[in-house]
Amino acid sequence: MSRQINQPSNQIRLTNVSLVRLKKGKKRFEIACYKNKVLEWRSGIETDLDEVLQIPNVFLNVSKGQTAPSAELAKAFGKDRPLNDIILEILNKGELQVGEKERAAQLDRVHNEVVSIVASKLVDPRTKRVYTTGMIEKALDMLSSQAHHQQQQGDKKSAEQQPGSGTGTPATGDDGEAKPKAKEHVWTGVVTTKSAKSQALEAMKALIANQPIPVSRARMRLRITCSTNVLKQAVKAAKGGDAEGEQKAPGTVKDKILSYVEQVENQDVLGSEWEVVGFVEPGAFKGLSDFVGNETKGQGRVEVLDMAVTHED
């Protein structure tokens, strides 16, 4: 008589998977996906669900091959909820579980992307030339090491002060008054929970604030056009004034526009339109754009010719 091993019908063995988990109610549900496909799905690169899922089913435990009973799914997600909708909710809202190798590879990808973005946006303020990605990487490593060192020092001081009353002495200025704490731009390294773009912005702020190497934001190259009959109009004076109550002459629309432009490349009058092409600091772009839109009442416009002007060797 031959022996037969019976495997429970709700157990499916899967290997080499990326898990996505979602806690719903008091139960944890999992789906089994192909490696690297979850991030592609969430970023919109992959749109075919069959290319993401190893099997179109919901599990209580993928590693044990234990599928979720229909009763549990109905209790957690709703009685008449289609299985495909449940899978999509877990895929889009669940927590992605990755192994050490995957996590390291993902961190490396984000790191390289952040460094690449920063290197394309920052320049040496003296030469206006970009730095190599290697130089940017070293500068960020310096900031990261500095931040971790300061954190260790802060933890050490906190531990030393703990046995006492717990009250510290606030920083004071020359007149003895407490100074408000300025916001510090600190860089501690990349993480996988934030987008590369947002982390690159944080990295640029930290580099500009701390200057481990001389850096500044690459300027934008803009074309500003405006009707000539608006140029000589006086700009409305800002409310208030200086300490003595005096107000500076507001100037004309043309004067105000040129005050935003750090360096004029050329300007000309073409028929009934005045045009200027020049370089503007990224931080001044919104103010310039708002001013042209409001003051010219649709008779002026700002065009971006180059988001970041750099000189490369």
Side-chain angles (χ1 to χ4, degrees):
M1 183 176 172
S2 61
R3 291 189 176 183
Q4 185 177 0
I5 299 174
N6 294 319
Q7 183 177 344
S9 60
N10 70 330
Q11 286 200 358
I12 302 169
R13 297 289 181 183
L14 292 172
T15 57
N16 196 32
V17 297
S18 284
L19 304 183
V20 181
R21 290 177 182 158
L22 180 68
K23 191 172 182 181
K24 194 84 169 178
K26 296 182 179 180
K27 288 284 184 179
R28 186 183 68 186
F29 300 94
E30 301 178 345
I31 55 175
C33 304
Y34 290 105
K35 287 182 179 288
N36 304 321
K37 285 294 182 178
V38 176
L39 295 177
E40 289 183 12
W41 170 270
R42 289 179 175 178
S43 63
I45 297 171
E46 181 59 71
T47 56
D48 187 353
L49 190 60
D50 291 335
E51 293 294 321
V52 180
L53 299 175
Q54 285 216 13
I55 186 167
N57 212 337
V58 179
F59 295 80
L60 291 178
N61 191 312
V62 170
S63 62
K64 293 181 180 179
Q66 185 181 1
T67 57
S70 299
E72 295 285 359
L73 293 175
K75 186 178 179 181
F77 294 93
K79 188 177 180 181
D80 299 320
R81 190 85 181 273
L83 180 62
N84 201 58
D85 288 358
I86 296 173
I87 289 172
L88 285 173
E89 182 176 339
I90 298 172
L91 180 59
N92 293 324
K93 297 180 180 179
E95 182 183 350
L96 176 63
Q97 310 294 311
V98 293
E100 286 300 320
K101 287 184 179 179
E102 274 189 290
R103 190 176 289 110
Q106 187 181 350
L107 194 65
D108 196 45
R109 282 196 301 272
V110 176
H111 174 80
N112 291 337
E113 193 175 346
V114 168
V115 171
S116 180
I117 293 171
V118 173
S120 69
K121 300 289 185 185
L122 296 185
V123 295
D124 184 326
R126 296 163 297 186
T127 64
K128 305 301 179 188
R129 294 187 181 279
V130 294
Y131 285 102
T132 63
T133 53
M135 286 287 288
I136 294 295
E137 203 165 10
K138 285 180 182 177
L140 289 174
D141 285 344
M142 288 168 63
L143 291 183
S144 181
S145 298
Q146 183 181 331
H148 288 123
H149 178 70
Q150 288 175 347
Q151 186 176 4
Q152 288 175 354
Q153 292 293 104
D155 292 343
K156 188 177 179 182
K157 282 185 179 180
S158 298
E160 290 173 353
Q161 291 175 355
Q162 202 167 3
S165 62
T167 57
T169 305
T172 57
D174 296 333
D175 55 359
E177 292 184 4
K179 293 191 296 183
K181 192 174 181 180
K183 184 181 178 182
E184 295 181 3
H185 294 294
V186 179
W187 178 254
T188 55
V190 297
V191 294
T192 56
T193 53
K194 294 182 182 178
S195 70
K197 190 175 180 181
S198 66
Q199 292 186 81
L201 188 60
E202 292 174 12
M204 286 189 282
K205 287 178 180 178
L207 286 169
I208 291 170
N210 295 283
Q211 295 286 316
I213 55 176
V215 290
S216 65
R217 283 288 297 269
R219 297 177 300 177
M220 301 174 73
R221 184 168 175 261
L222 307 177
R223 179 191 288 120
I224 306 133
T225 54
C226 181
S227 176
T228 52
N229 60 14
V230 178
L231 287 181
K232 292 184 180 180
Q233 291 181 7
V235 177
K236 295 175 184 177
K239 291 182 180 180
D242 56 22
E244 283 99 27
E246 295 179 0
Q247 290 182 337
K248 293 182 180 179
T252 63
V253 169
K254 181 180 179 180
D255 295 333
K256 185 69 174 176
I257 289 173
L258 290 175
S259 71
Y260 285 101
V261 182
E262 192 176 88
Q263 180 185 344
V264 174
E265 190 174 280
N266 61 68
Q267 60 175 312
D268 203 357
V269 175
L270 306 170
S272 62
E273 273 195 338
W274 171 73
E275 176 185 290
V276 60
V277 176
F279 302 94
V280 175
E281 288 291 332
F285 174 71
K286 187 179 186 301
L288 170 61
S289 187
D290 289 347
F291 173 79
V292 171
N294 295 331
E295 287 291 330
T296 66
K297 295 180 173 61
Q299 297 184 62
R301 62 185 180 276
V302 179
E303 300 172 65
V304 178
L305 302 179
D306 196 334
M307 283 295 293
V309 179
T310 59
H311 297 286
E312 298 185 18
D313 291 322

PDB file of all heavy atoms in Angstrom, residues 5 30 81 118 173 179 204 220 273 297:
ATOM      1  N   ILE A   5       1.224  11.711   0.870  1.00  0.00           N
ATOM      2  CA  ILE A   5       1.336  12.873   1.762  1.00  0.00           C
ATOM      3  C   ILE A   5       0.280  13.892   1.354  1.00  0.00           C
ATOM      4  O   ILE A   5       0.258  14.353   0.211  1.00  0.00           O
ATOM      5  CB  ILE A   5       2.742  13.513   1.685  1.00  0.00           C
ATOM      6  CG1 ILE A   5       3.783  12.485   2.127  1.00  0.00           C
ATOM      7  CG2 ILE A   5       2.822  14.765   2.543  1.00  0.00           C
ATOM      8  CD1 ILE A   5       5.206  12.953   1.953  1.00  0.00           C
ATOM      9  N   GLU A  30      -1.142  39.341   3.095  1.00  0.00           N
ATOM     10  CA  GLU A  30       0.059  39.466   2.268  1.00  0.00           C
ATOM     11  C   GLU A  30      -0.239  39.059   0.822  1.00  0.00           C
ATOM     12  O   GLU A  30      -1.114  38.234   0.562  1.00  0.00           O
ATOM     13  CB  GLU A  30       1.171  38.558   2.797  1.00  0.00           C
ATOM     14  CG  GLU A  30       1.577  38.835   4.228  1.00  0.00           C
ATOM     15  CD  GLU A  30       2.653  37.876   4.727  1.00  0.00           C
ATOM     16  OE1 GLU A  30       2.882  36.834   4.081  1.00  0.00           O
ATOM     17  OE2 GLU A  30       3.253  38.177   5.762  1.00  0.00           O
ATOM     18  N   ARG A  81     -16.678  42.489  -1.748  1.00  0.00           N
ATOM     19  CA  ARG A  81     -15.483  43.095  -2.360  1.00  0.00           C
ATOM     20  C   ARG A  81     -14.805  42.075  -3.266  1.00  0.00           C
ATOM     21  O   ARG A  81     -14.412  40.994  -2.804  1.00  0.00           O
ATOM     22  CB  ARG A  81     -14.521  43.547  -1.263  1.00  0.00           C
ATOM     23  CG  ARG A  81     -13.360  44.400  -1.728  1.00  0.00           C
ATOM     24  CD  ARG A  81     -13.779  45.857  -1.808  1.00  0.00           C
ATOM     25  NE  ARG A  81     -12.669  46.669  -2.269  1.00  0.00           N
ATOM     26  CZ  ARG A  81     -11.738  47.199  -1.456  1.00  0.00           C
ATOM     27  NH1 ARG A  81     -11.799  46.996  -0.159  1.00  0.00           N
ATOM     28  NH2 ARG A  81     -10.778  47.965  -1.962  1.00  0.00           N
ATOM     29  N   VAL A 118      21.772  66.540  -7.487  1.00  0.00           N
ATOM     30  CA  VAL A 118      22.496  67.626  -6.813  1.00  0.00           C
ATOM     31  C   VAL A 118      23.628  68.148  -7.693  1.00  0.00           C
ATOM     32  O   VAL A 118      23.818  69.363  -7.831  1.00  0.00           O
ATOM     33  CB  VAL A 118      23.047  67.153  -5.449  1.00  0.00           C
ATOM     34  CG1 VAL A 118      23.937  68.228  -4.830  1.00  0.00           C
ATOM     35  CG2 VAL A 118      21.905  66.808  -4.504  1.00  0.00           C
ATOM     36  N   GLY A 173      21.909  86.263  23.449  1.00  0.00           N
ATOM     37  CA  GLY A 173      22.679  87.188  22.621  1.00  0.00           C
ATOM     38  C   GLY A 173      23.506  88.107  23.482  1.00  0.00           C
ATOM     39  O   GLY A 173      23.617  87.940  24.704  1.00  0.00           O
ATOM     40  N   LYS A 179      17.991  83.861  22.399  1.00  0.00           N
ATOM     41  CA  LYS A 179      17.926  83.927  20.939  1.00  0.00           C
ATOM     42  C   LYS A 179      17.051  82.787  20.414  1.00  0.00           C
ATOM     43  O   LYS A 179      17.162  81.655  20.878  1.00  0.00           O
ATOM     44  CB  LYS A 179      19.330  83.776  20.335  1.00  0.00           C
ATOM     45  CG  LYS A 179      20.253  84.925  20.650  1.00  0.00           C
ATOM     46  CD  LYS A 179      21.526  84.833  19.809  1.00  0.00           C
ATOM     47  CE  LYS A 179      22.328  83.607  20.139  1.00  0.00           C
ATOM     48  NZ  LYS A 179      23.595  83.550  19.381  1.00  0.00           N
ATOM     49  N   MET A 204      20.836  69.751  -1.152  1.00  0.00           N
ATOM     50  CA  MET A 204      21.296  71.047  -1.670  1.00  0.00           C
ATOM     51  C   MET A 204      21.228  72.135  -0.604  1.00  0.00           C
ATOM     52  O   MET A 204      22.148  72.950  -0.480  1.00  0.00           O
ATOM     53  CB  MET A 204      20.465  71.442  -2.897  1.00  0.00           C
ATOM     54  CG  MET A 204      20.810  70.643  -4.137  1.00  0.00           C
ATOM     55  SD  MET A 204      20.031  71.270  -5.650  1.00  0.00           S
ATOM     56  CE  MET A 204      18.365  70.643  -5.454  1.00  0.00           C
ATOM     57  N   MET A 220      18.864  80.194 -13.236  1.00  0.00           N
ATOM     58  CA  MET A 220      17.924  79.908 -14.317  1.00  0.00           C
ATOM     59  C   MET A 220      18.105  80.962 -15.414  1.00  0.00           C
ATOM     60  O   MET A 220      18.400  82.128 -15.137  1.00  0.00           O
ATOM     61  CB  MET A 220      16.480  79.960 -13.802  1.00  0.00           C
ATOM     62  CG  MET A 220      16.173  79.004 -12.682  1.00  0.00           C
ATOM     63  SD  MET A 220      14.496  79.237 -12.009  1.00  0.00           S
ATOM     64  CE  MET A 220      13.503  78.540 -13.328  1.00  0.00           C
ATOM     65  N   GLU A 273       6.568  95.131 -28.045  1.00  0.00           N
ATOM     66  CA  GLU A 273       6.967  94.308 -26.909  1.00  0.00           C
ATOM     67  C   GLU A 273       8.418  94.523 -26.537  1.00  0.00           C
ATOM     68  O   GLU A 273       9.291  94.588 -27.402  1.00  0.00           O
ATOM     69  CB  GLU A 273       6.743  92.811 -27.206  1.00  0.00           C
ATOM     70  CG  GLU A 273       5.347  92.322 -26.879  1.00  0.00           C
ATOM     71  CD  GLU A 273       5.273  90.800 -26.828  1.00  0.00           C
ATOM     72  OE1 GLU A 273       6.133  90.131 -27.419  1.00  0.00           O
ATOM     73  OE2 GLU A 273       4.349  90.285 -26.193  1.00  0.00           O
ATOM     74  N   LYS A 297      -1.138  92.472 -15.901  1.00  0.00           N
ATOM     75  CA  LYS A 297      -2.514  92.069 -16.216  1.00  0.00           C
ATOM     76  C   LYS A 297      -2.603  91.303 -17.540  1.00  0.00           C
ATOM     77  O   LYS A 297      -3.376  91.621 -18.432  1.00  0.00           O
ATOM     78  CB  LYS A 297      -3.430  93.295 -16.251  1.00  0.00           C
ATOM     79  CG  LYS A 297      -3.559  93.982 -14.896  1.00  0.00           C
ATOM     80  CD  LYS A 297      -4.462  95.183 -14.979  1.00  0.00           C
ATOM     81  CE  LYS A 297      -4.724  95.768 -13.594  1.00  0.00           C
ATOM     82  NZ  LYS A 297      -3.520  96.231 -12.914  1.00  0.00           N
TER      83      LYS A 297
END
